[in-house]
Amino acid sequence: VGAAAGAGAADDEAEDTATPERLNNFMLEFQRLFALMQAGDQKERSPQRMLKALLACGKSKFSIGSQEDVHEFATFFLSKVDEALLAAERNGVAAKPNRKRWAAMDAGRLRSTDSFSEDQDAGSKRKASTDATAADETTTADPMPEGGHTITRIFEGVMAVELVAAEEDGTEFRSVTEDKFERILLDINGPKSLYESLDMYTTALEIEFTTPLGHKTKGRNRGAIKAIPPVLTFQQKRVVYNTMTKTAEKLHTPFYFEQIIHMDRYLLQNKAERERREARIAELQQQQQAIGRQQQPLHSGAGVPYDACVDGVLQLLQLAASDAGSLVEVASADTHVAAEVAQMGQHADVMRILQSLRQCLRTKFAALDEQLQQAQHEQHTMYDDENMRKYPYRLMAVFLHEGYSPTGGHYWACIQAQPGGKWFKYSDAVVSEIDREQVFQDAYGGQGTRSAYAMVYVDASVEIKEDECALSDSLTQLVRRDTENLRKRMSDYDEHVARQLATISST
């Protein structure tokens, strides 16, 4: 299934609107496929039947066997799953959702505060609505539907955009918009890590803005996540358009991400706390710059610390005091210089002054280094406390591409289904175990043409138990029949080979 991101159109023309029968058939094929993948003995499974049933649920641009955008296909796929679940629940044939589990997933995910953010789903520039009717607007998120919308509950979040500007008379104007998202696009052209990219994604920007009263001014535009889903999908912007060659190019820039990330700082509920910490980070950065300016005069024009220069002079004077003959011999070509060198070791006062100066320089260097390390440590650990580690997300899947061009190459995925479990590589019809280190080495990019282009993180606080994946009686029977058929085919094949060998032996 992972290799079928380019799965496509059914043989027959699909209708514009999915019927309950078509949706039900798609879900049955979906269940059948995953039951056989989970419990069957066959090493590989063709998704053809499920894909044809899927694409019979409505018109799409996909064609079986072609290479398609993974996000576009995933969006289409999940939307049909959602439609099918809703249709089944309306008809009274769907199993009731595990309310306890969904409650655990939804708990704390929706917050009601002053909203602010942007729509980054399509990688668009930040935008702000000009139709706000009042300043200091406060919005409240609608709760997730009680019945159905399982896919929405799992994959869809809410981004908020707040624009703050002032009218000509100084009256504050505040506009808030909200947009749903199923993925977050990460800029990798500059940011070197997921956190850096998310920081830029949600940092306040100054934009040109015309207020509702027609006043042209500068506004402050900022984003945050108002409702965060249990599954977060990040897509890297690895494809850029070259205006000179008028072609799409792939960025091979290294981009780093961690196995566990914490999303607390990007949540709307933590707006005030994040702004407080950002102000402190700005202070720390200013401190580091000030320390750098203090360190600069302590270096020679060649960039060598002055304490090293003084140390060199002291060593020379000490050598002159202990072994003046050697230096005199070096300078013997110039009798005047040789005479001066012979007197060098006699300047004891100068040596004491230089030793004191060297100690002062080293003390100053050590103090500045300690201040710098403290400022850097505080900045780097700004969000490491418990208050900012309540929303952990675990890396579950990585989608990778190898190739110089975005229009070609090879795609595959690596998945770790359970925390601390094994990683598996899904490359077309081949599934193999892969070391965690190899997954990240390939995914980070920067070496060769391999790199990740999408990552899927899941709420690490939600435990998926084995019994929640248990098969129904009908699916268990399906797997049993499939296993029996597979064994029969293998037995028939072995008998066929034995007959062939017997025939060869007799001739």
Side-chain angles (χ1 to χ4, degrees):
V1 173
D11 295 337
D12 300 322
E13 185 73 9
E15 298 178 1
D16 288 333
T17 305
T19 64
E21 292 76 15
R22 288 174 181 262
L23 289 169
N24 186 61
N25 183 52
F26 159 56
M27 288 303 289
L28 290 174
E29 291 295 342
F30 187 21
Q31 288 182 322
R32 175 183 177 276
L33 175 63
F34 274 81
L36 293 173
M37 289 173 63
Q38 177 182 331
D41 290 339
Q42 196 165 308
K43 289 186 176 181
E44 60 186 59
R45 296 286 173 181
S46 171
Q48 292 270 344
R49 286 181 53 171
M50 186 271 289
L51 293 170
K52 288 184 177 181
L54 164 66
L55 295 160
C57 292
K59 285 186 177 180
S60 73
K61 68 174 187 176
F62 304 112
S63 59
I64 291 178
S66 66
Q67 182 172 288
E68 305 289 354
D69 180 82
V70 66
H71 175 70
E72 291 179 359
F73 176 76
T75 300
F76 176 76
F77 179 85
L78 294 175
S79 69
K80 294 306 175 185
V81 173
D82 210 23
E83 286 181 36
L85 292 173
L86 287 173
E89 192 164 319
R90 281 195 298 268
N91 295 332
V93 298
K96 292 297 181 183
N98 185 330
R99 296 297 181 196
K100 184 176 180 181
R101 182 179 173 196
W102 291 130
M105 285 188 169
D106 291 339
R109 294 316 191 211
L110 299 179
R111 297 293 185 268
S112 172
T113 56
D114 288 341
S115 298
F116 66 110
S117 188
E118 61 187 344
D119 173 18
Q120 281 277 94
D121 184 43
S124 59
K125 294 181 179 179
R126 293 185 175 175
K127 59 181 183 180
S129 170
T130 59
D131 12 336
T133 57
D136 299 313
E137 178 181 349
T138 301
T139 60
T140 303
D142 294 329
M144 293 296 185
E146 281 301 316
H149 287 300
T150 299
I151 299 303
T152 298
R153 222 181 359 249
I154 297 175
F155 294 96
E156 190 176 274
V158 178
M159 295 293 298
V161 172
E162 180 189 61
L163 171 67
V164 179
E167 294 286 3
E168 191 171 8
D169 62 358
T171 304
E172 186 180 78
F173 168 78
R174 189 182 296 266
S175 171
V176 178
T177 60
E178 294 181 6
D179 296 283
K180 296 177 181 179
F181 70 89
E182 294 171 342
R183 64 168 175 173
I184 295 176
L185 271 177
L186 299 175
D187 192 344
I188 67 169
N189 194 6
K192 296 181 175 61
S193 70
L194 187 147
Y195 278 126
E196 287 185 19
S197 188
L198 283 174
D199 287 344
M200 186 173 73
Y201 179 103
T202 54
T203 297
L205 294 179
E206 191 176 79
I207 62 171
E208 299 291 336
F209 180 71
T210 302
T211 67
L213 297 180
H215 176 54
K216 293 184 177 180
T217 183
K218 291 184 181 297
R220 183 173 174 269
N221 198 19
R222 177 149 201 176
I225 300 175
K226 182 172 184 178
I228 189 167
V231 177
L232 277 175
T233 300
F234 297 102
Q235 185 167 341
Q236 300 177 23
K237 296 172 65 175
R238 283 208 171 268
V239 180
V240 295
Y241 184 74
N242 188 322
T243 56
M244 299 293 292
T245 62
K246 300 187 186 307
T247 58
E249 296 180 351
K250 177 184 175 182
L251 293 177
H252 299 284
T253 310
F255 187 78
Y256 302 97
F257 49 92
E258 300 174 15
Q259 179 106 29
I260 299 292
I261 61 173
H262 295 86
M263 295 297 293
D264 305 71
R265 73 186 81 171
Y266 307 112
L267 301 183
L268 183 58
Q269 69 193 68
N270 294 326
K271 170 189 174 183
E273 180 60 21
R274 180 183 176 184
E275 289 179 344
R276 184 190 70 79
R277 298 190 188 211
E278 285 180 338
R280 177 56 182 162
I281 289 175
E283 292 177 0
L284 292 170
Q285 290 174 337
Q286 291 177 355
Q287 286 182 21
Q288 293 171 52
Q289 292 172 0
I291 293 171
R293 289 192 294 270
Q294 293 181 61
Q295 288 178 329
Q296 188 60 35
L298 301 179
H299 288 74
S300 67
V304 180
Y306 275 131
D307 69 319
C309 297
V310 172
D311 193 54
V313 174
L314 274 171
Q315 290 180 19
L316 184 64
L317 292 175
Q318 290 168 353
L319 177 62
S322 61
D323 190 10
S326 298
L327 293 177
V328 171
E329 183 178 352
V330 171
S332 60
D334 188 322
T335 55
H336 177 71
V337 173
E340 293 289 337
V341 168
Q343 301 297 318
M344 284 175 57
Q346 301 176 13
H347 300 292
D349 292 341
V350 174
M351 292 179 65
R352 282 194 297 272
I353 293 172
L354 289 175
Q355 288 171 344
S356 298
L357 176 59
R358 179 179 62 181
Q359 185 58 43
C360 289
L361 287 169
R362 289 178 175 176
T363 301
K364 183 67 172 178
F365 270 121
L368 290 174
D369 281 342
E370 184 178 1
Q371 293 175 30
L372 183 62
Q373 290 176 14
Q374 289 176 349
Q376 290 174 339
H377 177 74
E378 184 178 350
Q379 179 180 342
H380 294 155
T381 59
M382 184 60 66
Y383 296 99
D384 288 354
D385 58 286
E386 292 184 1
N387 291 329
M388 282 291 166
R389 299 175 76 86
K390 297 178 180 179
Y391 286 78
Y393 277 74
R394 174 181 66 85
L395 182 66
M396 184 178 187
V398 184
F399 295 87
L400 301 99
H401 172 260
E402 182 175 21
Y404 288 99
S405 169
T407 59
H410 179 59
Y411 292 87
W412 71 98
C414 294
I415 299 175
Q416 184 192 46
Q418 295 291 340
K422 296 178 180 180
W423 279 89
F424 289 93
K425 179 179 180 180
Y426 296 78
S427 180
D428 295 331
V430 179
V431 179
S432 57
E433 189 176 336
I434 183 172
D435 291 336
R436 176 190 178 279
E437 293 73 17
Q438 188 63 51
V439 173
F440 284 90
Q441 181 178 329
D442 292 341
Y444 286 155
Q447 300 178 355
T449 64
R450 291 186 173 190
S451 59
Y453 64 91
M455 302 90 72
V456 178
Y457 283 83
V458 296
D459 185 347
S461 66
V462 177
E463 181 182 0
I464 301 178
K465 299 179 180 179
E466 290 297 330
D467 58 358
E468 293 179 348
C469 302
L471 299 181
S472 65
D473 291 341
S474 60
L475 291 176
T476 301
Q477 293 175 11
L478 169 69
V479 172
R480 185 182 300 115
R481 291 195 302 270
D482 181 80
T483 302
E484 290 173 354
N485 291 335
L486 175 62
R487 289 174 180 172
K488 187 177 185 306
R489 292 198 305 271
M490 293 175 64
S491 177
D492 292 344
Y493 177 76
D494 289 341
E495 290 178 4
H496 172 72
V497 171
R499 288 195 298 271
Q500 293 283 1
L501 291 174
T503 302
I504 294 173
S505 299
S506 63
T507 57

